[in-house]
Amino acid sequence: MIKDGVVVDEPAAAPQAAGRSTLVNSAVADVMSTCLMQIECSFTRGFAGMQLIGNTTEVCRDGKERARAALEGLGIHIPPRRLVVSLTPADVKKDGNHFDLPLAVSLALLLKDQPRTVAPERWLFAAELGLGGELRPVRAVVSFAVAAMAGGLEGLVIAPGNLEEVRVLADLSPTGARPLVAHSFSTLRDVLAWIFDGQTPAVVRAGRSPQRRHLPPAEVNFDDMILPPSLELAALTVGAGMHSLLLRGSPGTGKSMLAARLASIIPNLPHEEHIEAMRIYSSGAERLPDALLAGRPPYRAPHHQASAVAVMGSPDTAGELALAHGGVLFLDELPEFRRDLLEALREPLESGEIRVARAHRKVIWKSRVVFVAACNNCACGWAGSARQPCTCSSARLHAYRQRLSGPILERIDLHVNVPEPDSANAELLLRLAHHDGSSLTKRLMARVQAARTFALRRNVPLGALLNRDLPACQLLAASGLSGVDFAALVNRRLSKSASSRSVIRCVRVARTLADLSESPVIREEHLDQAWLWQAERAAQARGECFVS
Ligand SMILES: [Zn+2]
């Protein structure tokens, strides 16, 4: 059954005989889909011992010893008989340490002949157990919570360390899903006291999180940086339309600084993307960063020596590209990255998804990112600089530009030349000294937000939220011009030899520039600026013969 984009089983059936059912729910999370599963215990004939069946891994099987130790600590002894613990559906691979708690609860239900005050089969349990019975946080809790909601369960029982991310989900409940209830307990003793004695959990219902109302300040922002007007316009365009960006310039011109600060002017993640980003991050981490919990877009900057798996991910692990979902992926020193990695990036950057296959497993990671890259003008870095002479031979210069060429550049919307710094540093020191409260970040964010609002009303009927996603067939409608005027404008301002891909990208960027000036129609100056940012024109402005 599929609900809200999540693959789930039918909710567990009611216990057949109250007081003796051992059925407990947990889940297996597989990247962007989650499958609810059940744990059931029973004594059978045979040699004494506990056997876990149902396609389990070593980590999962170790859980029976942790569960046994935790139960013994509470005086619940497992008799020397043959005990079978079945994890179903049997054909789904069960991996992870989060089965410890549901396993212990299922055993306690079997061994304690005592009426229950709650129906544990209506809850999803996920936590690791210490040998002393303490509950520890686990990975993928966001996915479990989404599955519990979509599967019609009452809620989930987790460790206190996982409660914060579930609180955020309560704010983001998918449409049509049940409101989320999460109980967190410190120990197995507290969980059993809740089930058998009705004792209220210490920390309980997930309510509205204060984090979305009181956003933490972005870690880095533009307040400590001087932006020349050309770079400010580029930053605004990227923030408003989520277009991709390549920054070229000499060392020390602030390319990396600018890239690292771009996420600070991008509005909070939309609800759906926020849940997706949390699920991706949660699949590999027990605790989520505060900024992501608050809905801030992520910023990831893998090193140029990073392996293809580190960037693209594997069926089990999210790569940097997926971890940047909804935010910024920055590749500094672009020509230094492996060629095959850059080639592999092309398709995900277009589609917003990474398809990874290994052995018999194929998974799809979400990866809708703003792609930002930076590079020098030559191998030594000083071509075109007034500060130092370039020492590259013409062959070396050609080889460097050759490495930068190729299809990845065609997928970049804005090619921006970063100027060398001038006396603006003094202006920055004055601004920082006066603390005049004029935050450049706030001003840029307000303009980005205004442009997004302006674009949204027009774009939604056209099938896109952002200008970068506008279908080519809707660009005329988005331009606000008549067919004749649109064709005349494009013919007049853009080169006849431009590829159709270039023209489409150019018009999308021009649409964002028009939104930034709140113009319903694309005007000549918008198209001119967008055209100036195209690869060939940006190279000509540097006085280069562009190699493509
Ligand atoms: Zn050089």
Side-chain angles (χ1 to χ4, degrees):
M1 178 173 76
I2 296 177
K3 271 189 181 180
D4 297 317
V6 179
V7 181
V8 294
D9 283 338
E10 291 292 348
Q16 292 166 354
R20 295 305 300 161
S21 169
T22 69
L23 198 68
V24 171
N25 285 291
S26 193
V28 279
D30 187 5
V31 193
M32 301 308 292
S33 67
T34 308
C35 173
L36 281 188
M37 50 152 297
Q38 288 78 45
I39 296 180
E40 217 169 351
C41 305
S42 179
F43 285 115
T44 62
R45 286 170 185 270
F47 292 109
M50 194 196 310
Q51 187 183 9
L52 243 65
I53 56 170
N55 201 358
T56 54
T57 63
E58 186 91 28
V59 176
C60 184
R61 284 192 292 276
D62 288 347
K64 67 182 180 186
E65 296 307 326
R66 291 189 287 270
R68 186 200 298 270
L71 287 170
E72 296 268 345
L74 297 177
I76 303 173
H77 301 287
I78 298 173
R81 292 175 59 190
R82 180 176 162 77
L83 182 59
V84 173
V85 181
S86 169
L87 286 75
T88 53
D91 60 339
V92 178
K93 189 175 179 184
K94 284 88 181 177
D95 189 19
N97 50 357
H98 62 279
F99 295 112
D100 294 7
L101 176 62
L103 178 58
V105 170
S106 184
L107 288 170
L109 292 174
L110 180 72
L111 298 169
K112 274 174 77 95
D113 191 10
Q114 194 179 326
R116 290 167 270 155
T117 56
V118 292
E121 60 278 350
R122 302 292 305 151
W123 293 76
L124 190 153
F125 294 78
E128 185 185 272
L129 284 178
L131 295 183
E134 64 275 16
L135 268 59
R136 293 174 181 160
V138 291
R139 293 178 291 138
V141 162
V142 176
S143 292
F144 300 156
V146 173
M149 274 191 284
L153 298 183
E154 297 283 329
L156 66 163
V157 179
I158 48 175
N162 283 128
L163 190 64
E164 198 51 53
E165 57 210 88
V166 178
R167 271 190 204 283
V168 175
L169 266 187
D171 279 358
L172 305 171
S173 294
T175 330
R178 291 168 65 95
L180 182 68
V181 179
H183 286 351
S184 96
F185 298 87
S186 300
T187 63
L188 178 62
R189 179 189 298 276
D190 296 336
V191 178
L192 298 183
W194 170 65
I195 293 173
F196 292 108
D197 306 328
Q199 284 186 16
T200 318
V203 190
V204 262
R205 285 174 187 275
R208 295 226 147 241
S209 165
Q211 295 227 19
R212 283 185 73 80
R213 290 191 294 274
H214 306 290
L215 293 180
E219 285 166 11
V220 287
N221 61 38
F222 284 106
D223 290 356
D224 61 353
M225 197 176 171
I226 290 291
L227 275 184
S230 63
L231 292 189
E232 186 176 316
L233 185 61
L236 284 170
T237 308
V238 170
M242 301 289 264
H243 302 287
S244 47
L245 170 69
L246 174 68
L247 298 160
R248 292 184 67 145
S250 314
T253 46
K255 302 186 293 291
S256 312
M257 266 183 95
L258 172 64
R261 281 152 182 75
L262 277 174
S264 71
I265 59 166
I266 295 177
N268 274 7
L269 295 169
H271 284 191
E272 197 179 324
E273 233 168 49
H274 190 187
I275 293 177
E276 288 166 355
M278 288 204 299
R279 288 183 72 164
I280 292 169
Y281 206 99
S282 163
S283 70
E286 283 136 21
R287 287 170 201 275
L288 304 189
D290 286 348
L292 182 59
L293 287 173
R296 296 297 303 142
Y299 168 76
R300 308 291 299 192
H303 189 260
H304 60 77
Q305 287 180 333
S307 67
V309 172
V311 177
M312 307 301 291
S314 70
D316 299 314
T317 318
E320 292 290 331
L321 185 51
L323 290 169
H325 179 56
V328 175
L329 177 78
F330 176 52
L331 302 190
D332 200 1
E333 307 286 355
L334 185 67
E336 304 301 326
F337 278 81
R338 292 158 45 127
R339 187 76 183 212
D340 58 339
L341 175 61
L342 296 181
E343 294 291 318
L345 275 174
R346 284 164 44 192
E347 204 268 329
L349 290 179
E350 287 286 314
S351 66
E353 289 179 344
I354 317 160
R355 292 165 192 273
V356 193
R358 183 177 294 171
H360 298 296
R361 288 193 69 202
K362 288 181 188 165
V363 299
I364 299 175
W365 293 99
K366 299 270 182 185
S367 64
R368 285 164 49 80
V369 302
V370 179
F371 179 65
V372 181
C375 66
N376 296 328
N377 283 327
C378 66
C380 81
W382 297 106
S385 169
R387 289 184 290 166
Q388 279 197 40
C390 168
T391 57
C392 300
S393 64
S394 60
R396 203 170 167 216
L397 208 57
H398 180 77
Y400 185 83
R401 288 176 185 163
Q402 197 69 48
R403 263 193 288 166
L404 248 187
S405 67
I408 190 81
L409 287 195
E410 279 186 22
R411 283 158 175 80
I412 296 179
D413 301 312
L414 281 71
H415 294 246
V416 174
N417 300 320
V418 181
E420 299 203 298
D422 51 18
S423 58
N425 287 328
E427 188 193 324
L428 171 64
L429 292 177
L430 283 175
R431 197 172 78 199
L432 293 176
H434 283 121
H435 296 296
D436 57 0
S438 60
S439 161
L440 176 60
T441 311
K442 279 188 186 163
R443 186 165 61 78
L444 295 179
M445 175 70 120
R447 284 201 64 192
V448 166
Q449 194 68 62
R452 289 262 187 116
T453 310
F454 187 82
L456 198 62
R457 211 173 304 126
R458 176 197 64 238
N459 283 359
V460 168
L462 302 179
L465 295 179
L466 296 165
N467 289 339
R468 73 158 177 205
D469 299 326
L470 278 170
C473 60
Q474 300 288 8
L475 287 176
L476 168 62
S479 73
L481 297 165
S482 69
V484 175
D485 290 345
F486 183 65
L489 179 68
V490 170
N491 281 334
R492 201 163 57 242
R493 309 312 299 184
L494 304 189
S495 161
K496 297 279 188 301
S497 61
S499 68
S500 54
R501 187 195 290 269
S502 289
V503 171
I504 289 169
R505 287 184 177 275
C506 211
V507 174
R508 286 184 184 137
V509 173
R511 185 57 264 179
T512 301
L513 287 164
D515 290 337
L516 281 165
S517 53
E518 304 203 354
S519 164
V521 297
I522 295 177
R523 293 198 297 263
E524 284 189 356
E525 64 263 31
H526 304 136
L527 211 53
D528 286 349
Q529 179 60 61
W531 183 231
L532 190 65
W533 279 331
Q534 286 280 307
E536 294 87 348
R537 298 296 297 261
Q540 281 170 18
R542 286 193 302 275
E544 290 173 10
C545 174
F546 188 77
V547 185
S548 63

